[in-house]
Amino acid sequence: MLDDRTYMRNVSFGPAWSATKAILYANVAFFIIQQILLHYTSVPLVKYFYLSKEGIAHGFVFQLVTYQFLHGGLFHLFCNLLVIYFFGKALEEVLGAKDFLMLYFTGGVVGGIFQIGLAWGFPDTFYGSVVGASAAGFALVAAFAQMFPQRTITLLIFFVFPVSMRAQTLLWIAIGLAVFGIIVPTSNVACLLYTSDAADDLLCVD
């Protein structure tokens, strides 16, 4: 039988649709639009589409979604794209596109709600507007660690120092960094090289 032969299996005519790639392309496209609007128009992008407690108070609930596709700069975008790509690939293969998208956007929305709660509770510390896909990316890291807790991941810190750990350990480190970022707000981002049992990839975590 022809279908018993390796080279005849899983033949696909046309490109396969990928939710992970769609999110990546959307983030890049919206970043380009964001930069054009900010630098060449007077469109009040920050007021209406960045996430802020003032916006939510005015009923702009859609900010919980729009803020996920906007970023504070090219490096910020780059780091979030890497997180989405590397963890999104693995998760979408297991969950399927629909559940993967649900996980991604739910993580972003919940993270946004948490941010707004902090802004209301501690206005002197958490003020201004927020953008970025970091909350959605964190949800992917958390889901990956729960589904593959024993998978070995190697991080090349600053592209020089290799550190190997299990996915579950990476999650705790990510939680620690998130808590530290809340207590001591910073714009610093750590770039790491990520490798797994299957492939060598670059991972940037903020």
Side-chain angles (χ1 to χ4, degrees):
M1 297 294 290
L2 287 177
D3 57 2
D4 290 334
R5 302 177 187 179
T6 303
Y7 59 83
M8 291 300 295
R9 296 174 186 168
N10 299 322
V11 177
S12 176
F13 298 95
W17 183 82
S18 167
T20 302
K21 289 182 180 180
I23 290 176
L24 293 172
Y25 295 149
N27 272 284
V28 172
F30 278 105
F31 179 75
I32 294 173
I33 295 172
Q34 174 189 3
Q35 299 309 306
I36 292 174
L37 293 178
L38 286 175
H39 293 93
Y40 300 104
T41 74
S42 58
V43 174
L45 190 67
V46 175
K47 178 180 179 180
Y48 290 108
F49 298 104
Y50 286 34
L51 179 64
S52 67
K53 67 175 183 179
E54 292 79 14
I56 297 298
H58 281 85
F60 305 151
V61 182
F62 53 83
Q63 290 182 350
L64 290 169
V65 175
T66 57
Y67 92 100
Q68 301 179 44
F69 292 97
L70 306 173
H71 288 81
L74 189 59
F75 193 59
H76 184 208
L77 171 69
F78 175 72
C79 289
N80 280 326
L81 290 182
L82 289 175
V83 172
I84 294 168
Y85 176 73
F86 297 124
F87 289 104
K89 262 195 323 182
L91 290 171
E92 185 178 358
E93 289 179 359
V94 176
L95 299 175
K98 183 178 178 180
D99 288 341
F100 167 74
L101 289 173
M102 181 66 69
L103 168 66
Y104 180 85
F105 285 110
T106 299
V109 170
V110 170
I113 293 174
F114 183 70
Q115 173 67 32
I116 293 301
L118 291 174
W120 281 109
F122 307 94
D124 294 334
T125 303
F126 301 93
Y127 53 85
S129 302
V130 177
V131 293
S134 298
F138 183 84
L140 299 185
V141 174
F144 184 91
Q146 291 300 310
M147 296 177 68
F148 312 106
Q150 303 305 314
R151 181 169 296 184
T152 300
I153 294 177
T154 299
L155 305 176
L156 188 59
I157 303 175
F158 302 121
F159 304 101
V160 177
F161 307 105
V163 177
S164 296
M165 65 187 72
R166 299 189 186 280
Q168 196 169 51
T169 303
L170 175 62
L171 174 59
W172 284 111
I173 292 175
I175 292 174
L177 290 174
V179 172
F180 178 80
I182 292 173
I183 298 174
V184 184
T186 176
S187 60
N188 292 333
V189 178
C191 282
L192 314 169
L193 180 70
Y194 158 78
T195 65
S196 68
D197 299 333
D200 293 342
D201 295 316
L202 179 68
L203 170 63
C204 187
V205 183
D206 63 7

